[in-house]
Structure formats: structure tokens, C-alpha cells
Amino acid sequence: MVGFQPVDVPPTAAVKFVGAGTAACIADLLTFPLDTAKVRLQVSIGRVPAVKYRGVFGTIVTMVRTEGPLSLYSGLVAGLQRQMSFASVRIGLYDSVKQFYTKGSDHVGIGSRLLAGCTTGGMAVALAQPTDVVKVRFQAQARSNEYARRYCGTIDAYKTIAKEEGIHGLWKGTGPNIARNAIVNCTELVTYDFIKDFLLTSTPLSASRHRSYGWAPGTW
């Protein structure tokens, strides 16, 4: 169709940054109850909670019955803040960091990809750790009348943690979180990167798309 021909213009780093954060926020909205149930199960181990949780879906049902449906989304604001700062960096900046390590070369080895994955994973945690701390605190905080709520809101949680535990309290668990996410980032993004390159260079479909649209490997 005239006037609507695709152009061979890769997305900018800003577009990737915002796109990755937005996509992660949408995913978080859909999966947040499962994440909340996971946190409740984790914090209930080693202590005797007033409410017994049994399995992921059993925990969800128990929380809805004892605390109301909104309890499944406790900490959602901090969770969305986390995704916009965390996923935007670890996913959105991966290509830019990879190009930085390879100095723009078309030949990218596995070492550069792993290094880029570790770098953006570590950067993301260092930036987003306070949002992760607040999110988990809210998810672990029961909403029933039997418990006194420690935090009244997201901003109050940031202020209370900083006041009672010091600024470093907002970065509790940063070391293990960096190690975990560096591994996760490498596994996810490097695997994706290799599969993408394989599809772009080795499949008949990619060859026909290159001829039809003028796409070249590396522009996805």
C-alpha cells in the first residue's frame, strides 16, 4: 500500500526503555495476586501465623475470605514503580549496553551478551531496590482487623522505613538481589538474543521478510 511502506529504522533507546517498563507493568497487573501469595507463603515459614496458608491458590482464597479481594493487590503502586524502574533498565537498556561493550560491532559474542545482561540486571536492582522493599513489605502486611497496619500508603512506607531503619533500610537485600537478577537477566535476555539472531539469519521466513520489507538482522 502506497504511503505505508515499513521503514528500516530501529527503535531508539528511549522507546525500548519506556516500552519495556510499560509491558512489565501490564504483566504485573495480571500476575500481582500470585506474587502476593508467594510472599505470604515465604514469610509464613518459620513462624506460626494466625491464618494458615495452604498452597498458592489456597493462600489467595484465604486472603480474599479474611482480608478482602483488595488484599491481593496490596503494594501494587510500589510494584508498578518497581517495574517502570527495574524492567526499563534491565530489558530496555540491554541492546544499548551490549553495543557499548562491542563498540557497535556487528559480531557480538556470548561474552559481550552475558556482560550486558549482568550489567543491566545489576543496574536495575541498584535503582529499583527501594520499590521492591516497599512492595514486599506491603504484600507481607495483613489487612485484617487482627493486625495493626504498619504502613498507611506507599509514600508513608518509604518515609517510615528511611526514618526507622535509615536510608540503607530501603536497600536491604541488594546484594543477593543483584546476584539473582544478574543470573536471571543473562538467562532470559541472552537466550532470547541468540534465538532472535537465529531466526533472523537462518529461517526462510526471515529471508522473505528481509526481501519484502528491507529488514536486516539486528533491527528487531
Side-chain angles (χ1 to χ4, degrees):
M1 184 180 294
V2 178
F4 291 93
Q5 294 297 323
V7 292
D8 186 15
V9 179
T12 64
V15 170
K16 293 178 182 178
F17 186 89
V18 175
T22 302
C25 285
I26 295 173
D28 212 32
L29 285 170
L30 298 175
T31 61
F32 204 80
L34 294 173
D35 190 38
T36 301
K38 179 205 71 172
V39 171
R40 287 294 182 93
L41 286 169
Q42 288 176 324
V43 300
S44 68
I45 295 175
R47 70 181 188 183
V48 181
V51 179
K52 295 288 186 180
Y53 299 122
R54 296 182 181 277
V56 175
F57 293 104
T59 301
I60 291 176
V61 171
T62 300
M63 290 179 63
V64 171
R65 187 178 67 249
T66 60
E67 304 174 42
L70 291 180
S71 64
L72 298 174
Y73 288 90
S74 182
L76 178 62
V77 174
L80 296 179
Q81 292 172 349
R82 174 184 181 273
Q83 293 297 354
M84 281 305 301
S85 54
F86 178 74
S88 296
V89 173
R90 84 174 186 93
I91 299 175
L93 296 185
Y94 171 76
D95 282 337
S96 298
V97 173
K98 183 177 65 176
Q99 291 174 5
F100 171 78
Y101 283 130
T102 60
K103 296 179 172 59
S105 173
D106 292 333
H107 302 286
V108 184
I110 188 172
S112 298
R113 299 174 201 253
L114 290 173
L115 191 57
C118 287
T119 300
T120 57
M123 290 169 56
V125 171
L127 175 66
Q129 185 66 12
T131 63
D132 198 28
V133 170
V134 170
K135 176 186 77 75
V136 172
R137 295 284 181 95
F138 267 106
Q139 289 175 314
Q141 176 179 260
R143 296 171 62 95
S144 63
N145 293 331
E146 299 177 18
Y147 298 88
R149 296 186 63 189
R150 185 177 183 186
Y151 307 116
C152 299
T154 304
I155 300 301
D156 176 66
Y158 287 117
K159 292 180 178 179
T160 301
I161 293 172
K163 180 179 180 180
E164 296 181 355
E165 305 172 38
I167 294 297
H168 65 277
L170 291 169
W171 272 269
K172 281 185 176 180
T174 299
N177 212 9
I178 286 179
R180 173 186 177 274
N181 280 286
I183 296 172
V184 169
N185 218 37
C186 287
T187 304
E188 289 181 352
L189 295 185
V190 174
T191 301
Y192 161 80
D193 218 6
F194 274 114
I195 294 175
K196 180 188 72 174
D197 284 350
F198 172 78
L199 293 175
L200 285 171
T201 58
S202 305
T203 63
L205 177 61
S206 66
S208 64
R209 296 179 97 180
H210 295 165
R211 289 193 297 270
S212 300
Y213 299 107
W215 289 345
T219 61
W220 278 13

